[in-house]
Amino acid sequence: MVVAGTAADASDRRSSARDTGEIFVDFVFNVLVALHFVGLALIVGGFFAQLRDPGKTVTRWMWDGALTQVVTGLAMVGMVEGGALGEAAKGYIDNGKIGTKLVIALAVAVLAFMGRRRPAPQPGLWLAVGLLALVNIVVAVFW
């Protein structure tokens, strides 16, 4: 029988608080993953939406998607490397893959920024942003 206020009861409360914290961290990580996919959808959606358009240009949504990808990607890696998801998750990170994806994502963001500053049409920048985003998908899936 457990009496309220005993050491066993306090231990149970600490255990449930820790579990709640882990659940919250997992929730935050999953929100970041979802936002990362939203950023991807903004870039790739903007790319595919203009395939037949003669005035291809980098849209505001492609720029927003590129920023979303970089910020959420860095936040997710930071959470894993910081140990927020546990020590086992730390060993799962492939720094070569993450570095490659970061370089590609930064290139996409810089090109999208340049595209937002130049007058339309800009098929070269549009193509570079879209293809590099697709390359980043391939790296994420097959590496």
Side-chain angles (χ1 to χ4, degrees), residues 32-57:
L32 289 172
V33 171
L35 290 173
H36 199 66
F37 285 137
V38 168
L40 174 67
L42 290 170
I43 299 169
V44 176
F47 177 70
F48 284 124
Q50 297 182 67
L51 280 176
R52 293 187 179 206
D53 188 359
K56 294 172 177 62
T57 188

Side-chain angles (χ1 to χ4, degrees), residues 27-141:
F27 175 77
V28 169
F29 188 80
N30 288 333
V31 167
L32 289 172
V33 171
L35 290 173
H36 199 66
F37 285 137
V38 168
L40 174 67
L42 290 170
I43 299 169
V44 176
F47 177 70
F48 284 124
Q50 297 182 67
L51 280 176
R52 293 187 179 206
D53 188 359
K56 294 172 177 62
T57 188
V58 176
T59 66
R60 171 183 174 237
W61 300 110
M62 294 169 84
W63 162 241
D64 290 346
L67 282 182
T68 302
Q69 287 262 284
V70 170
V71 170
T72 57
L74 287 173
M76 288 187 298
V77 171
M79 286 182 73
V80 172
E81 288 289 338
L85 299 176
E87 292 300 315
K90 278 179 145 180
Y92 183 71
I93 292 286
D94 181 350
N95 288 324
K97 176 181 179 178
I98 297 302
T100 302
K101 288 183 57 54
L102 178 60
V103 167
I104 294 170
L106 288 173
V108 169
V110 167
L111 291 170
F113 178 76
M114 289 171 47
R116 295 300 303 141
R117 297 289 178 206
R118 294 190 180 166
Q122 38 189 237
L125 285 174
W126 166 84
L127 184 64
V129 167
L131 290 181
L132 282 173
L134 294 174
V135 166
N136 223 3
I137 294 169
V138 170
V139 169
V141 172

